[in-house]
Amino acid sequence: MSPPPISQGVSEDRGADPLSRIRCVLVETTHTGNLGAAARALKTMGLTRLALVNPKQPPDADALARASGADDLLARATIHPDLVAALAGCRLVIGSSARLRSVEWPLLEPPEAAQRLLAEAAQGEVALVFGRESSGLSNDELARCHYLVHIPTNPRFSSLNLAAAVQVLAYEIRRAWREGRGDRL
């Protein structure tokens, strides 16, 4: 199975902020606190779109407590039965993984992934996909992605918490967006 081709069509709404077209997709999240912490990570970096694929539990009091002011993002989060539904309409999909795979996907460093997401978001919807806390994304799920992004961590202990991984990549997106606007860093 291969990812859909990157769409070459032009979006009708050229004035939309590219950050508003970046969808953060969390697949089968187990711990509701991670939902809240991920929402907080996104909101602090100016990202507003959260899609949940078959979460083990919907956002609850723990998620709201960990969101710490990003409850609006949790309230607007869309819930989907599968990854295909969560990715509907996306012209570019980048999957994240802590472990490198035996099957090779085009691999991006976090800054390059951020730049590609922003470039495509200027034209339409894009997605950054995160897998399960315990096992990440399956190979079938990664097959829905155009690229794989890997956060270079200590090879002896490469396990990042889901919300921490969301924070790292959301920061890279924010940094690239600010650079593109000519903002001082």
Side-chain angles (χ1 to χ4, degrees), residues 99-119:
R99 62 187 201 277
L100 299 175
R101 308 300 176 114
S102 57
V103 176
E104 290 192 27
W105 269 267
L107 185 62
L108 303 173
E109 289 279 329
E112 187 182 8
Q115 291 167 354
R116 286 189 188 247
L117 285 165
L118 287 166

Side-chain angles (χ1 to χ4, degrees), residues 79-93:
I79 298 179
H80 305 274
D82 55 44
L83 186 57
V84 173
L87 298 177
C90 287
R91 59 184 289 114
L92 174 69
V93 178

Side-chain angles (χ1 to χ4, degrees), residues 26-183:
L26 306 181
V27 177
E28 294 185 3
T29 310
T30 304
H31 305 290
T32 59
N34 281 332
L35 298 175
R40 182 179 183 179
L42 293 171
K43 189 168 183 174
T44 62
M45 296 297 127
L47 298 168
T48 60
R49 307 272 307 281
L50 181 59
L52 309 176
V53 175
N54 194 26
K56 297 303 176 192
Q57 297 177 47
D60 59 9
D62 189 33
L64 289 172
R66 298 277 311 273
S68 190
D71 347 4
D72 57 327
L73 238 90
L74 282 178
R76 286 192 316 270
T78 56
I79 298 179
H80 305 274
D82 55 44
L83 186 57
V84 173
L87 298 177
C90 287
R91 59 184 289 114
L92 174 69
V93 178
I94 298 180
S96 64
S97 181
R99 62 187 201 277
L100 299 175
R101 308 300 176 114
S102 57
V103 176
E104 290 192 27
W105 269 267
L107 185 62
L108 303 173
E109 289 279 329
E112 187 182 8
Q115 291 167 354
R116 286 189 188 247
L117 285 165
L118 287 166
E120 290 297 323
Q123 302 299 318
E125 296 286 317
V126 300
L128 179 58
V129 183
F130 295 86
R132 295 154 195 84
E133 291 102 323
S134 61
S135 60
L137 294 169
S138 70
N139 285 346
D140 286 341
E141 291 161 341
L142 280 173
R144 301 243 172 242
C145 303
H146 298 100
Y147 297 96
L148 174 65
V149 62
H150 175 77
I151 299 168
T153 55
N154 176 355
R156 293 183 187 173
F157 189 73
S158 63
S159 177
L160 276 176
N161 171 273
L162 172 62
V166 170
Q167 184 71 72
V168 168
L169 292 172
Y171 168 76
E172 289 293 345
I173 292 167
R174 178 83 179 173
R175 191 180 63 73
W177 176 78
R178 291 185 68 214
E179 277 181 7
R181 291 172 27 123
D183 290 356

